[in-house]
Amino acid sequence: MASRLVLVLGDLFIPDRAPDIPAKFKKLLAPGKIGQILCLGNLTDNTTYDFLRGIAPDLQIVKGDFDVEAPNLPPQKVVTHGSLRIGFTHGHTIIPPGDGDALLITARHMDVDVLLWGGTHRFEAYELEGKFFVNPGSATGAVGTGWWAEGEDPAPSFCLMDVQGDVLMLYIYTLKTDANGIENVNVEKISYRKDTGLTPSTT
């Protein structure tokens, strides 16, 4: 099966907690390069919905805890790429929130190799008992509640997945601001192979 890029993002909170997706991110998200978008919830405005549909018409969304105007969104979904079953959910229904054991139980219940979750606005990626867990963070750097130390703000981030067979290459895009206030996009990558685990690297 030919690979196609999958965009993973969530917790945008536009305009309530953030004005927009950062301009440097938007330049990277050109139409025609991405085959599918997995949105992990809290896509709270129609303009951003239309923007994402312009990037890739195959836009899959699950319900976040603030998606009050979209009550019919499912709490979780599963898609298949290559030989990998990939589940995604916002994460607010996982108790305790972000807990590794609770996420593992969810992944087993959904019968997936990869579980994507949100809610914390903080990027995470790790392997546990042969399964791969990814939280893309908040694409806008929207301020969360209860996850950050006082005075600490989340850095905007999203992920791209490239799946070929049983191998998933994860690209993590994070917007960093240096001491002079200059914004730059930092890119890291992690390779996950089903049944063998992770190979981290930085570009």
Side-chain angles (χ1 to χ4, degrees):
M1 183 183 206
S3 66
R4 62 172 177 164
L5 290 176
V6 179
L7 171 62
V8 183
L9 79 175
D11 291 310
L12 295 106
F13 285 104
I14 299 169
D16 300 322
R17 302 187 193 178
D20 201 354
I21 296 173
K24 287 183 180 291
F25 281 0
K26 282 191 167 184
K27 288 181 180 179
L28 296 172
L29 301 175
K33 295 182 179 179
I34 294 168
Q36 185 179 62
I37 300 174
L38 307 181
C39 180
L40 308 186
N42 293 331
L43 173 61
T44 50
D45 74 306
N46 289 329
T47 301
T48 305
Y49 174 85
D50 292 339
F51 169 72
L52 294 177
R53 283 295 301 270
I55 296 171
D58 187 358
L59 172 58
Q60 304 288 327
I61 309 173
V62 292
K63 183 176 174 58
D65 49 347
F66 284 86
D67 286 318
V68 294
E69 295 183 5
N72 296 323
L73 288 174
Q76 59 190 35
K77 284 186 175 183
V78 177
V79 296
T80 300
H81 288 277
S83 65
L84 299 179
R85 282 175 54 84
I86 301 170
F88 58 108
T89 184
H90 175 257
H92 66 282
T93 59
I94 296 172
I95 304 298
D99 177 76
D101 289 336
L103 288 165
L104 182 59
I105 290 170
T106 300
R108 287 172 173 166
H109 178 74
M110 296 175 69
D111 189 24
V112 295
D113 305 296
V114 180
L115 181 65
L116 314 172
W117 92 100
T120 67
H121 302 211
R122 183 192 299 271
F123 168 76
E124 290 184 70
Y126 61 89
E127 185 267 340
L128 181 63
E129 295 192 17
K131 299 184 184 295
F132 189 29
F133 297 86
V134 178
N135 185 325
S138 167
T140 59
V143 176
T145 56
W147 295 98
W148 297 86
E150 184 176 351
E152 184 182 9
D153 294 325
S157 59
F158 69 88
C159 297
L160 285 176
M161 299 190 304
D162 184 5
V163 180
Q164 300 189 52
D166 62 354
V167 177
L168 185 157
M169 185 68 74
L170 182 75
Y171 298 90
I172 307 104
Y173 294 77
T174 307
L175 189 66
K176 303 281 190 178
T177 304
D178 65 20
N180 297 317
I182 305 299
E183 294 182 336
N184 293 288
V185 178
N186 182 67
V187 184
E188 298 178 71
K189 64 181 178 180
I190 300 173
S191 176
Y192 166 80
R193 182 185 294 272
K194 185 177 179 179
D195 299 326
T196 61
L198 300 182
T199 304
S201 59
T202 302
T203 57

